[in-house]
Amino acid sequence: MESLLLGAGLLLGAYVLVYYNLVKAPPCGGIGSLRGRTAVVTGANSGIGKMTALELARRGARVVLACRSRERGEAAAFDLRQESGNNEVIFMALDLASLASVRAFATAFLSSEPRLDILIHNAGISSCGRTREAFNLLLRVNHVSPFLLTHLLLPHLRMCAPSRVVVVSSAAHRRGHLDFTRLNHPVIGWRQELRAYADSKLANVLFARELATQLEGTGITCYAAHPGPVNSELFLRHVPGWLCPFLRPLAWLVLRTPGGGAQTPLYCALQEGIEPLSGRYFANCHVEEVPPAARDDQSAHRLWEASKRLAGLEPVEDDNPDEEIQPEDPGAPSSLSTSLPEEPIVSEFSPGKQRSQDFSKLTQRIQVKAEPEPQGS
Ligand SMILES: NC(=O)c1ccc[n+]([C@@H]2O[C@H](COP(=O)([O-])OP(=O)(O)OC[C@H]3O[C@@H](n4cnc5c(N)ncnc54)[C@H](OP(=O)(O)O)[C@@H]3O)[C@@H](O)[C@H]2O)c1
């Protein structure tokens, strides 16, 4: 009996240690009142995105929940208005699997909302589910569409500077490897999906890095944030039904709550004084060093150029040996989207004069860029 009690005590002690050191998230802090500011959170109807939106609403921001399902999005907006006591929480339709939907969202947003202070790219998928697309759906949802959305919403972000863009990435980026010759190849089977997920999260880190370079001096800063291992539907929704009763209690014990997972994205959106760390990767509300592949400026720039083509912002060149990118109809509806009219594409990132100016800045940074010392990590 005594040894049983001792064993239980040791187990409990070990769990408390693991909980406080690995599971429990540090609170984000940051600007207390967001009254008068507007935030967009993608994929805000569940998990980390919903908790992120809740905290922004509690602090008084107008929060736009950019979600693909009207039903789930409206339901989340209702919940969040109730829980936060803030009536300025609204749903707007955005399906990141469709570039046409991204453009339609941007048009609707820019014409109905006068400002944008915080843009949080939270939505993400870890699997293609049952959809079979002729392109890399994981890269599309997790990186290419957020890239396009940032580009389209830049006028408002510029106008409201100092403003912020947060890209919710993952520690999985450490396993990522970008093969520029197969960037947009369809992903088939769970092994390829795991790889494509890690690659898309590496793309998030490189995107934040390059965006910071491109937007230097504009007052818009950007960050990649890892929420930690979180008990959400991200992976569980693709687990066979019979496994769920075993995995759910385990996930509840050893993973963070979605509210805990929201802390680092919120930190990146709200913490004062982190502007000099624009472009860096954060975890547990601290800046963290990333592996060489995730701080390779040439790779970041190459991804930027490829993303412009994948997002339909630049024509695909036949003689480009770099990427094997199938020219897609940017308006082609995905299996999840509705057809929307195409709009003229106006590139905010690359207007002739600005572009050459930005690119010369970029070349300089490639030569001289030194990582600032991580603070507190
Ligand atoms: N959970 C973790 O352990 C973990 C760890 C590291 C990083 N992350 C990152 O955290 C972010 C949030 O994940 P989560 O854990 O909160 O997962 P989640 O609960 O599955 O939430 C994902 C959200 O993305 C939305 N979404 C999926 N496809 C979309 C599309 N085509 N268009 C618009 N929205 C779409 C989902 O909407 P529906 O409800 O309509 O599907 C949902 O609202 C992701 O970027 C993920 O990679 C999570």
Side-chain angles (χ1 to χ4, degrees), residues 81-325:
R81 284 193 294 266
Q82 297 273 306
E83 278 183 56
S84 65
N86 177 349
N87 280 330
E88 302 268 305
V89 181
I90 62 161
F91 155 80
M92 285 178 74
L94 170 69
D95 178 0
L96 294 166
S98 155
L99 298 179
S101 172
V102 175
R103 288 203 191 86
F105 172 88
T107 305
F109 181 88
L110 294 175
S111 60
S112 63
E113 296 293 326
R115 44 183 314 130
L116 177 57
D117 301 275
I118 299 168
L119 171 58
I120 302 190
H121 293 298
N122 162 79
I125 52 171
S126 63
S127 156
C128 303
R130 290 193 182 154
T131 51
R132 288 282 168 269
E133 304 286 4
F135 53 86
N136 182 341
L137 181 64
L138 273 120
L139 192 77
R140 166 75 68 88
V141 171
N142 294 356
H143 166 67
V144 178
S145 288
F147 174 91
L148 177 62
L149 186 60
T150 310
H151 158 91
L152 296 171
L153 297 182
L154 267 184
H156 270 35
L157 286 164
R158 276 186 204 280
M159 198 174 65
C160 296
S163 50
R164 292 194 182 179
V165 179
V166 180
V167 190
V168 179
S169 179
S170 165
H173 82 271
R174 295 178 190 281
R175 295 194 310 274
H177 165 77
L178 292 183
D179 178 351
F180 285 96
T181 64
R182 299 178 56 84
L183 219 44
N184 204 29
H185 274 224
V187 174
I188 300 152
W190 65 270
R191 275 195 195 87
Q192 284 189 19
E193 284 180 345
L194 274 182
R195 223 171 295 144
Y197 178 74
D199 296 349
S200 72
K201 293 291 144 182
L202 172 61
N204 290 158
V205 179
L206 290 171
F207 171 47
R209 191 171 180 88
E210 178 71 9
L211 187 63
T213 303
Q214 299 275 338
L215 295 176
E216 208 175 290
T218 61
I220 310 170
T221 53
C222 42
Y223 312 89
H226 169 48
V230 175
N231 185 8
S232 71
E233 291 300 307
L234 187 72
F235 297 102
L236 282 179
R237 75 175 83 199
H238 303 293
V239 162
W242 61 269
L243 255 182
C244 284
F246 302 101
L247 288 182
R248 281 193 190 279
L250 194 68
W252 184 82
L253 270 179
V254 300
L255 301 179
R256 262 176 203 175
T257 60
Q263 297 309 306
T264 300
L266 283 164
Y267 177 89
C268 292
L270 304 176
Q271 184 59 43
E272 292 126 326
I274 60 168
E275 292 80 5
L277 296 171
S278 181
R280 303 289 303 277
Y281 170 86
F282 288 72
N284 291 317
C285 299
H286 282 300
V287 70
E288 249 190 24
E289 197 51 274
V290 289
R295 55 184 144 92
D296 177 345
D297 284 320
Q298 279 172 358
S299 221
H301 184 57
R302 198 170 168 194
L303 175 68
W304 182 276
E305 291 301 311
S307 305
K308 282 203 286 192
R309 288 187 280 276
L310 287 171
L313 294 170
E314 265 192 6
V316 180
E317 288 160 26
D318 286 343
D319 57 350
N320 185 346
D322 250 359
E323 296 114 21
E324 220 181 89
I325 295 169

Side-chain angles (χ1 to χ4, degrees), residues 354-371:
Q354 167 119 23
R355 189 177 165 207
S356 53
Q357 192 192 357
D358 283 343
F359 284 3
S360 64
K361 209 191 293 167
L362 173 81
T363 323
Q364 275 173 20
R365 280 197 68 172
I366 289 176
Q367 285 158 1
V368 299
K369 196 168 187 177
E371 294 289 346

